[in-house]
Amino acid sequence: MAITPSTVLGCVVGIYLGSIVVLFAASVALPKLAFYARLLSSYLSLLLASAYGVVASIVLRLCGYGQVSQWAAGRCFKWVMWMTTGVGFVVVEGHEHLRVRPAVFITNHQTGGGRELDVLLLGTVFPPYCSVTAKNSLKRVPVLGWFMALSKTVFIDRTNRQTAVAAFDGAATVMRRDRQSVFIFPEGTRSYFDEAGLLPFKKGAFHLAIKAKVPIVPVIVANYSHVLSARRRVFQAGTIPVKVLAPIPTADLLPSDAEELTTTTYELMLRGLTELTEGAKKTRHLHAS
């Protein structure tokens, strides 16, 4: 019997799914194995949602609704991740601020071991008619990169200030013309805090908001190291609270005001992050007792 590509693919998929099932079953006796089971499940969920996103982006662009491609793919990933890992985000306050359009949405950038929960957060809070910014290297990631390129992601080359500035200038033009919002992680890289904390903010998001004359909408995510932490090999089911703060207007600001805007927004988000994380801890302790 000849071995065909479809046969090989079927075997690979079967082994992958079988591994997830075995790891989840074995985690009853060895809880640490749940980390690997959910990690494999999240990779599969991201691949499925990205593939769906590629198709959705093409269809929606043909129908004249290309601006909602990332929203559609994000919602798909949200529900697939909930079913395969039991992890989800929930907006506990300020949901109405997600309807502001156009705006620059910013949020704290955490990590437990990868980009899966970044994408899951976006899948939960991402409004229609919004695009994410991403580092240039993500273009080369199979399936995910294809989807991001098709759905008009704003790619930033952080090693080249000139091209980064040009990308933000182009984004400002699109925001004004198409009333398109942008979602940015202003820390620029993921933090590894086990408690509430923020890395210093880069000013790109704030320069963009001032240039486009659109408000900044801060989105605060409670520290979730108890749900996902690669260093401690923890990945468990759980719900992570999110709070959306009131929009910060920029219509009357000048480029020279970006420094102060960055500082005041940082301080506002750090206070909110600390309060949200402490509140989530108390809630978990109450449920545990």
Side-chain angles (χ1 to χ4, degrees), residues 174-237:
V174 172
M175 292 176 76
R176 290 191 297 265
R177 185 189 66 212
D178 300 337
R179 298 187 65 227
Q180 181 86 356
S181 297
V182 173
F183 209 106
I184 299 177
F185 295 94
E187 291 164 282
T189 188
R190 298 180 182 92
S191 64
Y192 289 83
F193 299 114
D194 287 331
E195 301 292 338
L198 290 173
L199 295 173
F201 282 178
K202 298 184 183 301
K203 300 183 188 70
F206 305 92
H207 279 296
L208 174 60
I210 291 172
K211 188 175 185 64
K213 298 297 181 184
V214 301
I216 294 273
V217 180
V219 179
I220 300 171
V221 183
N223 183 278
Y224 56 66
S225 59
H226 63 289
V227 171
L228 176 58
S229 173
R231 291 186 295 185
R232 293 185 285 114
R233 295 295 184 269
V234 170
F235 196 172
Q236 59 186 7

